[in-house]
Amino acid sequence: MRIEFWSDIVCPYCGLMDHRLHKALERFDHAADVQLVHRSFQLHPDLPREGVTQRELLERAGVPSVADQVLRPVERQAAAEGLAPYRVLDRTLGPTDLAHELLAHATAQERGNEAWTAMFRAHFGQGRKLWTASEVLDFADQLGLGGESAAEVLEERRYRAQVAADQREAQRLGARGVPFLVIDGRRTINGAVGTDQLLAAMTEAWDAGHPAAQPLPAVDGTGSVCGPDGCAVPGTHGS
């Protein structure tokens, strides 16, 4: 079964969903047969490279009240689920194109899931800035993905087209934002849901793709039949 998970590393609900998804997989009976694929969706591509604080961004948007009404509760929710610290307000946001391109490189090295989770933890757990090539390469070095290959990937913008294509595909499938999941091509989840809901959706998709064998309907039950104890004609005791 294939689970595609679109997100942005500056999205607090996405970091929470990454945590919940792994928790759900720990409880899923068929986790060994699940392919988890992270895909890119940029929320603020036009932010300056030096970044802006979360509070500044809310003030620019004219919604400063969101800080206490929405974002602080996310921090408390994360802490209740074992993610602490989880900085949603006291952080800087910036364009995540280079971060996504490094993550695509990590996926090509078969380290995508590890890299995505590590980047969520670096940003929300440490307040890490990941907007410039230097910042992204520092992160790559710490994850063991650095060196000349990572630098070349960012310099050549090798995965820029793939990152853009990921976002277009999410929008084609009906994503209104992130987190956005597609489970085995059968069901989409728009927005953050709980671990139990994720597990239920995974189970439903698995059952739909692996229906239990059912006996075929019989025309009638009155024909002659042979079994382990012998053969019988309807109305006789058999032989």
Side-chain angles (χ1 to χ4, degrees):
M1 187 168 78
R2 179 181 173 93
I3 298 177
E4 296 172 275
F5 177 22
W6 275 265
S7 60
D8 195 352
I9 64 153
V10 295
C11 163
Y13 289 119
C14 296
L16 194 54
M17 278 288 281
D18 180 76
H19 179 70
R20 290 172 176 172
L21 186 54
H22 284 92
K23 289 294 184 184
L25 284 169
E26 289 175 4
R27 296 164 53 191
F28 187 52
D29 291 339
H30 310 286
D33 297 309
V34 173
Q35 179 190 20
L36 175 59
V37 180
H38 283 271
R39 302 186 70 173
S40 296
F41 195 110
Q42 297 178 70
L43 291 173
H44 304 291
D46 298 325
L47 288 179
R49 285 288 170 197
E50 64 271 18
V52 298
T53 69
Q54 176 68 81
R55 292 184 184 279
E56 288 172 341
L57 191 61
L58 293 176
E59 289 171 1
R60 289 184 186 183
V63 288
S65 61
V66 168
D68 293 320
Q69 294 176 357
V70 178
L71 300 185
R72 281 298 187 205
V74 175
E75 294 180 340
R76 293 193 291 270
Q77 197 169 19
E81 296 184 30
L83 279 176
Y86 198 78
R87 300 181 176 93
V88 177
L89 275 176
D90 302 321
R91 62 179 177 132
T92 300
L93 292 81
T96 53
D97 51 345
L98 298 179
H100 281 290
E101 289 171 34
L102 177 74
L103 290 167
H105 173 61
T107 298
Q109 307 302 310
E110 298 186 349
R111 296 185 61 190
N113 293 337
E114 171 195 359
W116 274 91
T117 296
M119 193 171 281
F120 280 129
R121 293 304 300 135
H123 179 61
F124 290 106
Q126 305 165 18
R128 190 84 168 264
K129 297 179 181 180
L130 294 158
W131 328 134
T132 68
S134 176
E135 291 164 350
V136 171
L137 289 173
D138 283 346
F139 170 83
D141 284 339
Q142 292 184 14
L143 199 62
L145 284 168
E148 293 183 4
S149 62
E152 289 173 359
V153 160
L154 297 189
E155 183 178 355
E156 297 171 4
R157 307 302 302 271
R158 191 177 302 170
Y159 292 99
R160 176 164 53 182
Q162 177 179 316
V163 167
D166 273 359
Q167 187 145 348
R168 290 195 300 271
E169 178 66 4
Q171 292 165 338
R172 185 190 70 81
L173 291 170
R176 302 187 300 271
V178 285
F180 177 72
L181 283 82
V182 175
I183 301 180
D184 216 25
R186 298 175 183 276
R187 178 171 181 178
T188 64
I189 298 177
N190 256 306
V193 299
T195 303
D196 289 344
Q197 290 172 278
L198 280 171
L199 181 59
M202 290 159 55
T203 301
E204 179 184 322
W206 178 272
D207 290 345
H210 303 79
Q214 298 292 333
L216 296 174
V219 173
D220 58 51
T222 61
S224 303
V225 64
C226 291
D229 297 325
C231 300
V233 175
T236 72
H237 296 292
S239 61

